[in-house]
Amino acid sequence: MRRLPLVLRNPSFGRIWAGQLLTQAASRMFQVGAVWWLVGRAGGGHRGLASGLFLMVSTLPAVALAPVVAGIVARCAHRTVLAGAAAVAGVSAGMAAVLAYAGMLPMAAAYVVGLVLAACQAVFDPCLTTSVPELVEDADIESATGFELSTQSVAGLCGGLLGPLVVDAGSVAAVVAVCAAAYLLAALLVGATRFPRTGAGDAGADGPPPRRRALRQILADLPFIRRVLVCFAAANVFTTAVYVVMPLYTREVLHATGSTVASLEAALGAGTLVGSFSGGRLPGRPVAVGSVCLAVMATALGLPGLFAGHAAAVVSMAVVGWCVGVIGVRFVALFQRLVPADDKPGFFAVMQALLGATFPVSSLVFGALGDHLTARTLCLVQGAGLVPVALALWWLGGRAEDRRVPVGQPSTGAAT
């Protein structure tokens, strides 16, 4: 008999997953809506730089706050951290919405709101990843990882679709108001959830307290994982630029409205969702699968630059999203099993920081380039930049096998 999906047979995990869906959808909705507002209305002659600067500000907290987040997640009850982060974001967005409806919210305030929401998300996401063993049995870790990673794609579908449409139909004030409601509902859901396996992987009540190590030491003891993270950080320089390039492409090449931006965001989210749930079924070791996915992404990112048109852009975003979903579920599941339990709070915080470190640079660089190069040229730059990263990851996998480094066996569980 086929079992129910994890989010239905484990109500605690289901509520936490719903809370993550709400927070990430709200964050994505605000980001996409604000970028389209800057590109279409408020950015003026420097819309590329303005939107790139906004995305840079929105990604800095994940990098700058990594040591602080690791300490908070390690010391505090995870339910309290998750509910508190969502509540702070909700209150902040609510205050911004009130000012916006009163006509007292200047453009610069959008950057401040983006910074605050990103800081709350920088706490929420690694805390949730660390909390997975407290919510599910070991046999369900990969399924939980699939649901957790699929949240980003579902959030892309919801937030990415609504953000530009609401801006075109109304204003940024409406976007911020919806975000505030989503964050506050997430805080209520998390606050009402019981963590049935709290303390899983830690020392018993009568044993010694779990050891907490410096972030640098954690990565120093995981050389293979460290090199993999560096490869993906380099890949992010080119992949995350889509959040700047696609709105510019819509404006300059397609001459379209927010509904087109929404369709591209939806294609990216749908592709990521499919990849998150199908990644566990693909044969091969994670490094081999990741290398092939990066090569496919390089081709897909360059496609709109070679063939201008809405269809090419939609196909490109769908393929890129699928590759992102596959890579995410394979490697995060691998890290959940290889990283010692006591090191997980620090590891997932530093993982988020390392992977996000290039996002601010990518946003600012591609945003500035967008004022001088055509959007089609930027697509080709993205694709070309991923090629050496794919080759480096492939070489790393071959070298690890030669040295018999444990790089993970093919997954047999489906993320359902």
Side-chain angles (χ1 to χ4, degrees):
M1 182 177 177
R2 185 178 178 86
R3 293 200 302 172
L4 290 172
L6 180 62
V7 292
L8 296 181
R9 54 186 165 85
N10 187 329
S12 294
F13 178 77
R15 282 191 289 270
I16 295 298
W17 180 75
Q20 186 190 29
L21 175 62
L22 287 168
T23 61
Q24 290 196 350
S27 176
R28 192 78 193 107
M29 180 179 179
F30 180 73
Q31 284 186 2
V32 177
V35 167
W36 181 241
W37 176 61
L38 291 168
V39 168
R41 302 181 186 180
H46 299 285
R47 54 177 177 262
L49 180 60
S51 58
L53 182 61
F54 171 79
L55 287 174
M56 183 193 76
V57 169
S58 298
T59 53
L60 279 176
V63 181
L65 298 180
V68 178
V69 171
I72 292 174
V73 174
R75 291 192 300 268
C76 303
H78 293 162
R79 181 174 63 177
T80 302
V81 174
L82 292 170
V88 170
V91 171
S92 301
M95 294 173 60
V98 171
L99 293 175
Y101 278 116
M104 301 170 58
L105 189 70
M107 188 181 78
Y111 291 83
V112 177
V113 175
L115 184 66
V116 173
L117 298 187
C120 293
Q121 206 67 47
V123 174
F124 191 99
D125 289 339
C127 184
L128 186 141
T129 303
T130 306
S131 303
V132 166
E134 301 175 12
L135 295 164
V136 304
E137 300 292 336
D138 182 75
D140 288 327
I141 282 182
E142 190 159 12
S143 294
T145 301
F147 273 106
E148 181 195 350
L149 295 178
S150 73
T151 305
Q152 186 174 0
S153 56
V154 176
L157 279 168
C158 300
L161 184 65
L162 290 176
L165 293 179
V166 173
V167 169
D168 277 356
S171 65
V172 174
V175 172
V176 182
V178 173
C179 291
Y183 275 117
L184 293 176
L185 178 57
L188 291 175
L189 281 173
V190 174
T193 301
R194 185 178 67 88
F195 283 48
R197 303 184 72 244
T198 300
D202 291 338
D206 299 327
R211 56 191 177 97
R212 305 299 182 193
R213 301 193 296 162
L215 301 184
R216 182 180 300 178
Q217 186 179 4
I218 292 174
L219 285 184
D221 290 345
L222 301 168
F224 170 74
I225 292 179
R226 183 180 68 245
R227 296 186 184 105
V228 169
L229 290 179
V230 169
C231 284
F232 287 132
N236 277 356
V237 173
F238 303 98
T239 58
T240 56
V242 297
Y243 300 122
V244 176
V245 175
M246 282 299 107
L248 293 174
Y249 190 89
T250 301
R251 186 77 173 180
E252 297 176 6
V253 179
L254 303 180
H255 306 291
T257 63
S259 61
T260 299
V261 178
S263 69
L264 297 180
E265 287 286 339
L268 182 65
T272 308
L273 181 62
V274 174
S276 296
F277 284 95
S278 62
R281 297 184 174 93
L282 295 179
R285 292 176 177 268
V287 173
V289 173
S291 303
V292 173
C293 284
L294 286 179
V296 174
M297 287 175 70
T299 304
L301 286 172
L303 183 66
L306 296 174
F307 306 98
H310 183 253
V314 169
V315 170
S316 170
M317 290 299 95
V319 173
V320 168
W322 181 81
C323 292
V324 169
V326 170
I327 290 173
V329 74
R330 293 300 296 269
F331 280 91
V332 173
L334 176 65
F335 298 158
Q336 285 279 16
R337 299 188 185 280
L338 294 185
V339 176
D342 293 337
D343 288 338
K344 284 182 180 179
F347 172 78
F348 285 116
V350 77
M351 181 186 78
Q352 178 172 311
L354 185 59
L355 294 180
T358 52
F359 199 169
V361 177
S362 172
S363 301
L364 188 60
V365 169
F366 276 86
L369 288 176
D371 291 333
H372 303 283
L373 301 177
T374 67
R376 293 182 66 177
T377 302
L378 293 180
C379 292
L380 295 176
V381 171
Q382 285 183 273
L386 271 185
V387 173
V389 181
L391 293 175
L393 187 61
W394 182 274
W395 174 81
L396 177 61
R399 185 181 180 189
E401 289 184 3
D402 290 342
R403 296 187 176 187
R404 300 184 182 276
V405 175
V407 296
Q409 296 297 329
S411 172
T412 57
T416 57

